[in-house]
Amino acid sequence: MNLLRSIPRSVGWTLSLGLLGLAFAVPFSSPDGTGMQWDELVLGSVAAGSAWSVFRAVGTMERPAARAWRPLGFAALLFMTAQWLQAGFPGPQFDGFGVDDVLLFIGATAPIATCAVLARRVSRTRWTALVVDGAVITASLLVVTEVLRTPLVDPVDAPSDLRSLVLTYGGYAAVMLGGAGALCTVSTAALRRSATIMLGAVAAQASAAWFEAMAIVAPSPLWTAASDVAVALSLQTMVVAVSSAPARVADRSARANAPVASPIGMVLVFLSLLGLPLAIGLSLSDGQPLSDPAEIGCAVVFCLMALRLVLRIREDGRVTEDLVRSEEDFRELVEASSDGLAIMDRGFRLLFTSPAARHLLGIVDPDQEVSLLDLVAAEDRAMVRMSTENSPAGAGPPLHFRVRTAEDALRELEVTSSERPGSGRRVLYLRDVTTRRRRERELERMAYTDHLTGLPNRVVLFREMAAPSLEERCLLVLDLDGFKAVNDVAGHEAGDQLLVEVARRLHTVVRDDDVVARLGGDEFAILVTGSMAESEDVAQRVVDALAIPHRVDEWAFAIGASVGVAELGIAGGQVAFREADTALREAKQSGKGCVRVADAARVSPFGQADVRQALAQGQVSLRLDTACDADGRIGLVHAVPVWAHPLYGTLRGQDLWGAAERHGRSGELQRWLLRQACAEAVTFPDQRVVIAVSLPAGHVTPDGLAAEVAAALADTGLAASRLSLSITEETLITSSAALVPQLEAARATGVRLCLDNYGMGHSLFALLARIPLDSVRVDLTALAARDDTDRALQVLAAIARTTSGFGLSAIAGGISTPELLDGALAAGVQLVHGRMLPHDLSAAELCALLEDVVVPVP
């Protein structure tokens, strides 16, 4: 079926019209060549169509791939010219050896040239052997025709002046079959089909020569018709061979150009060689002795076969020598490599180990038969067995396991593997990663641990607060009283020693499942698993423990601690931290050294409500904040989800995300927010307004984000360019690695990406190297001290120039006064938003505002 698909449609109609034309032309052509040769006119037309098809197919190929097939196109043109000359000038003008014969001879040898170029593509081509093989086949065919007394070698019935021509046709047929059989029987995998078709084309061409010789020996329109049909088939078969050839030489490696045998070519060689003893046997059985030419031909064949045997022995010797040399080179390479190489069977038995592998695995005796599982640390054996048996070689991440060294220390290895199908053996590539893994663990510990006290840091604390729990939990935030005096009197080293002692004392008053963290400076936090009453008791014990004087070198300091306590409710860690921090400030204001609990009226009661139910009942809605350009036109609105509970009040923004996280509904809230924002944006009177949706740190669900965005856009009909996904650097850092590819996939559809709170972290260069952006939002109030407006505007102007150089839009937030509004616009930002501009709007209010086109900016 693949072969039929590769046949051009031009072959069908060219061959059909050619055969139809021959059916009408052969009976009317002059048999003695003195009249009009209509069949040669038809064959010339078939050759013209073949040349057009060949050059058209070659034109789609790369130059190296087309080199083998271009001679066929020129051969068809030469054949066309010769046929039309013979058809157009019948009679004595072209009798004898003339221009048309020269053209025919050149065109007739082109297929052998093509076969030679194809043979050159095969790696390690031995031209001497190919020439001998071709000579053996040719001589065998000639001897067979001589033994069988065919007219091709004994044209006694032919006119005396044409006998040499008959012998030429017979010799040509044998040479063509012998040459093509030797050159095209072995080819590459990519060219095997084309080479096999070329064998068919050459066979048809040789048949045409044989039929033409028979037409001279025994003149008959049937021989002429058979010759013409064979020529037409040969021309069109060459077109099929060209069309089946690959358009490019994609791989020049030895494996890609490895020899591949053609079944048809093997049959041709086999029959030509088998035909010789069969013909001799038939002749002798009939009592006919071999003629002198036949005996000479047999002697030539036997000599050539002996020569071929010698060449084969020499070639085998060279191959063996190359294999030995390659094996030695490979062994030297393996032994010199610092990475280990081992071969293992299905039973985990090590069949081969390089010196580096023996060192890594702790193998002392290289001749000892050992199992890999016996060398692996006992704790890792089950994992190694399961990973090896359940995962194909080369699939999945590298395997890590430990082995015990001669010094009874553990060495960590990283192993990748490969396996040749059906071999039953797996090649292992081993690398010592003990140092690297230790450094990775140390870096991970440093990322989540306070380097001074060894306590978990803020990241770990908030991660623990975000983790689902069925038990009651409370957050304690404490601050040391009088710690500044320690640094002022005894120095910072004494202050560091005191902080270490504080960390030790805190561990003495909490349980093992409580989390003690250092927030920074002299601030600590404790996540207590238990009720509010239990947490108040822990807080009081903290105050009592830290009130005991601390001795640092020769100094003794009496410092205390103030503690704020808040319940970790459904609103999440951010809300609990703000409430505990407020309670801490109240404790400071109350005289320090005491405990204050967050006001119960301020503690979120949303733990009794479910976000999914709120979404279903329509209690969650969007409030929209506008961002305007210098002309007052609204260019962007920021959608903020708000939960208006009929009993518990309002929860919005980060607090709502925290509540959704506690219920495990962050994904549902994300999908609802995307779809609702797109649905409301479609209703805006100004279809240029972009709607922005924030993906907050710690709550975004990366998996399937791009598909959710695409579904929201498709369901609502909103243009992708009108949706902007807003993220912060914290979102990129705290989310999984799947977030960046999902954002890139969404942006590829036209969705915009905005970096929020820019200017508080990495440089823009580092961020753009990680993720493509369309805009950045800057909080003006965070760029300088509270009263240093001029400094904030200078930084904003620098940011605007940088973003403009990258082709990004800059959005300035925190605009609360007319002076800030004018200064931000003068700094070069494209959009501004804040309390000075319309905010906290419903969709209906925004639509009414957009009807006015321009927002009145104070």
Side-chain angles (χ1 to χ4, degrees):
M1 292 299 294
N2 292 332
L3 178 60
L4 293 177
R5 294 193 192 99
S6 64
I7 298 177
R9 284 184 293 182
S10 62
V11 171
W13 59 259
T14 302
L15 188 58
S16 300
L17 292 177
L19 294 178
L20 184 61
L22 290 174
F24 286 99
V26 171
F28 297 99
S29 299
S30 175
D32 56 1
T34 58
M36 187 65 181
Q37 302 296 310
W38 296 103
D39 58 336
E40 293 179 350
L41 184 63
V42 173
L43 288 178
S45 301
V46 174
S50 301
W52 178 81
S53 298
V54 168
F55 284 122
R56 183 181 181 186
V58 168
T60 62
M61 300 180 181
E62 294 180 353
R63 180 173 296 179
R67 188 176 298 121
W69 307 107
R70 195 171 284 114
L72 296 181
F74 291 112
L77 289 178
L78 293 175
F79 185 81
M80 173 198 71
T81 305
Q83 292 297 96
W84 283 351
L85 284 175
Q86 292 179 359
F89 299 96
Q93 294 92 332
F94 280 86
D95 284 346
F97 191 79
V99 177
D100 56 336
D101 297 302
V102 174
L103 298 178
L104 280 176
F105 176 78
I106 297 174
T109 57
I112 290 295
T114 294
C115 293
V117 177
L118 295 180
R120 190 172 178 271
R121 298 275 182 85
V122 182
S123 63
R124 304 177 65 88
T125 300
R126 303 295 184 185
W127 289 105
T128 305
L130 292 178
V131 171
V132 173
D133 289 341
V136 169
I137 299 173
T138 301
S140 298
L141 292 174
L142 291 175
V143 172
V144 169
T145 56
E146 169 62 25
V147 171
L148 296 179
R149 303 291 195 273
T150 61
L152 296 180
V153 295
D154 190 16
V156 294
D157 297 330
S160 58
D161 58 337
L162 296 178
R163 289 178 183 177
S164 59
L165 184 58
V166 174
L167 293 174
T168 302
Y169 278 130
Y172 170 79
V175 170
M176 291 296 291
L177 287 175
L183 295 172
C184 290
T185 297
V186 178
S187 62
T188 65
L191 293 171
R192 180 170 60 176
R193 184 168 61 181
S194 299
T196 302
I197 298 173
M198 274 301 300
L199 283 173
V202 172
Q205 196 166 343
S207 300
W210 190 81
F211 293 142
E212 192 67 26
M214 292 304 298
I216 297 174
V217 175
S220 171
L222 293 179
W223 291 119
T224 303
S227 175
D228 293 341
V229 170
V231 170
L233 287 175
S234 175
L235 289 169
Q236 292 303 299
T237 305
M238 292 178 187
V239 174
V240 176
V242 178
S243 302
S244 303
R248 59 183 59 87
V249 183
D251 193 348
R252 301 180 184 272
S253 63
R255 176 173 295 183
N257 295 324
V260 178
S262 168
I264 296 180
M266 294 178 65
V267 170
L268 175 62
V269 175
F270 177 76
L271 291 179
S272 63
L273 296 179
L274 182 63
L276 179 59
L278 289 178
I280 295 174
L282 290 175
S283 177
L284 295 178
S285 64
D286 292 340
Q288 297 180 359
L290 296 179
S291 63
D292 292 339
E295 291 179 352
I296 295 174
C298 289
V300 171
V301 171
F302 294 148
C303 290
L304 290 173
M305 293 181 68
L307 177 60
R308 184 65 181 91
L309 181 59
V310 173
L311 293 175
R312 174 69 67 182
I313 294 173
R314 292 182 58 189
E315 183 179 355
D316 291 344
R318 283 195 296 267
V319 170
T320 302
E321 183 181 349
D322 291 343
L323 287 175
V324 171
R325 187 182 299 109
S326 298
E327 182 179 355
E328 292 175 351
D329 294 342
F330 175 74
R331 184 176 295 276
E332 291 178 1
L333 178 64
V334 169
E335 292 180 353
S337 174
S338 59
D339 292 343
L341 181 67
I343 300 177
M344 179 183 70
D345 63 11
R346 296 188 186 276
F348 296 91
R349 185 166 56 94
L350 295 176
L351 306 177
F352 168 80
T353 52
S354 67
R358 292 194 292 272
H359 170 72
L360 294 175
L361 295 172
I363 300 176
V364 179
D365 185 2
D367 299 326
Q368 178 186 1
E369 184 175 306
V370 64
S371 172
L372 177 65
L373 295 179
D374 294 337
L375 303 173
V376 176
E379 312 87 71
D380 297 340
R381 287 174 187 168
M383 179 269 297
V384 171
R385 178 184 293 275
M386 182 179 63
S387 299
T388 304
E389 293 178 348
N390 297 338
S391 300
L399 180 65
H400 291 88
F401 59 80
R402 295 167 295 171
V403 297
R404 196 166 293 279
T405 64
E407 296 79 16
D408 203 30
L410 288 177
R411 175 183 288 125
E412 295 190 57
L413 301 181
E414 180 182 82
V415 181
T416 56
S417 62
S418 62
E419 181 177 357
R420 189 172 61 187
S423 65
R425 301 191 301 177
R426 184 171 293 196
V427 180
L428 307 179
Y429 309 94
L430 303 95
R431 177 173 297 179
D432 187 354
V433 293
T434 305
T435 303
R436 192 191 76 190
R437 297 278 286 181
R438 183 175 64 248
R439 290 173 179 171
E440 289 175 353
R441 287 191 291 269
E442 179 64 19
L443 289 174
E444 183 177 4
R445 185 193 66 79
M446 292 173 61
Y448 298 106
T449 306
D450 176 60
H451 72 281
L452 176 63
T453 62
L455 295 176
N457 58 15
R458 180 188 294 264
V459 174
V460 177
L461 175 67
F462 278 86
R463 187 176 61 187
E464 290 292 328
M465 288 193 292
S469 176
L470 299 177
E471 301 181 80
E472 292 184 71
R473 294 187 296 175
C474 294
L475 178 65
L476 282 60
V477 177
L478 61 103
D479 182 271
L480 300 182
D481 300 328
F483 177 74
K484 184 176 182 298
V486 178
N487 288 331
D488 294 341
V489 174
H492 289 282
E493 183 177 356
D496 291 344
Q497 296 179 22
L498 190 146
L499 291 175
V500 173
E501 174 63 16
V502 168
R504 187 193 66 78
R505 292 190 187 184
L506 290 177
H507 274 297
T508 64
V509 298
V510 299
R511 292 167 295 190
D512 292 339
D513 55 348
D514 295 336
V515 178
V516 180
R518 183 188 177 196
L519 302 179
D522 60 343
E523 293 184 354
F524 296 81
I526 304 174
L527 182 60
V528 178
T529 302
S531 63
M532 177 59 75
E534 294 173 323
S535 300
E536 288 186 60
D537 179 64
V538 172
Q540 189 58 52
R541 281 188 279 135
V542 168
V543 172
D544 296 340
L546 297 184
I548 301 174
H550 299 262
R551 179 170 294 278
V552 179
D553 295 332
E554 70 275 11
W555 299 91
F557 297 98
I559 65 171
S562 301
V563 184
V565 184
E567 183 179 5
L568 180 59
I570 196 67
Q574 291 285 355
V575 174
F577 184 82
R578 285 199 296 269
E579 292 173 348
D581 190 57
T582 301
L584 172 62
R585 289 197 298 271
E586 293 179 358
K588 289 283 190 181
Q589 295 171 359
S590 300
K592 305 180 181 180
C594 59
V595 178
R596 288 292 181 270
V597 179
D599 188 355
R602 293 198 305 268
V603 176
S604 173
F606 281 84
Q608 306 174 24
D610 186 9
V611 174
R612 172 183 288 181
Q613 184 179 2
L615 292 173
Q617 295 179 354
Q619 296 177 4
V620 181
S621 61
L622 292 183
R623 305 299 292 181
L624 306 174
D625 299 333
T626 65
C628 304
D629 59 17
D631 297 328
R633 187 187 72 83
I634 298 176
L636 179 142
V637 294
H638 180 224
V640 181
V642 177
W643 183 1
H645 196 279
L647 298 178
Y648 303 140
T650 300
L651 196 68
R652 62 185 296 143
Q654 285 283 359
D655 297 337
L656 175 55
W657 280 102
E661 181 72 25
R662 296 290 296 165
H663 282 293
R665 310 297 188 197
S666 293
E668 296 180 30
L669 180 58
Q670 178 175 288
R671 286 189 293 273
W672 177 89
L673 176 60
L674 289 170
R675 195 187 186 289
Q676 188 66 23
C678 293
E680 294 192 3
V682 171
T683 65
F684 295 165
D686 188 349
Q687 292 296 300
R688 297 172 297 173
V689 177
V690 177
I691 190 163
V693 174
S694 293
L695 302 176
H699 305 298
V700 62
T701 305
D703 295 335
L705 174 62
E708 293 174 4
V709 171
L713 294 173
D715 293 343
T716 59
L718 182 69
S721 59
R722 294 188 56 206
L723 176 63
S724 177
L725 300 181
S726 179
I727 54 174
T728 64
E729 292 183 53
E730 187 180 0
T731 305
L732 295 174
I733 295 173
T734 59
S735 298
S736 69
L739 178 60
V740 172
Q742 291 290 322
L743 292 174
E744 290 177 343
R747 189 176 184 272
T749 65
V751 175
R752 306 185 186 193
L753 296 183
C754 176
L755 180 67
D756 201 359
N757 285 338
Y758 172 67
M760 304 303 294
H762 294 82
S763 70
L764 189 60
F765 304 96
L767 292 168
L768 285 175
R770 185 177 181 189
I771 185 172
L773 298 171
D774 297 283
S775 59
V776 296
R777 193 197 75 87
V778 183
D779 189 349
L780 188 59
T781 60
L783 297 182
R786 184 181 302 272
D787 298 329
D788 196 353
T789 303
D790 293 339
R791 178 63 176 172
L793 291 175
Q794 288 178 358
V795 176
L796 180 63
I799 293 175
R801 289 192 296 270
T802 303
T803 56
S804 176
F806 284 106
L808 307 180
S809 300
I811 306 172
I815 305 301
S816 56
T817 65
E819 292 78 14
L820 287 179
L821 176 62
D822 295 338
L825 294 174
V829 299
Q830 283 71 40
L831 296 173
V832 292
H833 75 95
R835 296 293 175 181
M836 281 292 298
L837 299 167
H839 61 280
D840 199 24
L841 306 174
S842 66
E845 293 170 339
L846 178 65
C847 289
L849 190 63
L850 288 173
E851 295 289 349
D852 297 333
V853 180
V854 176
V855 176
V857 179

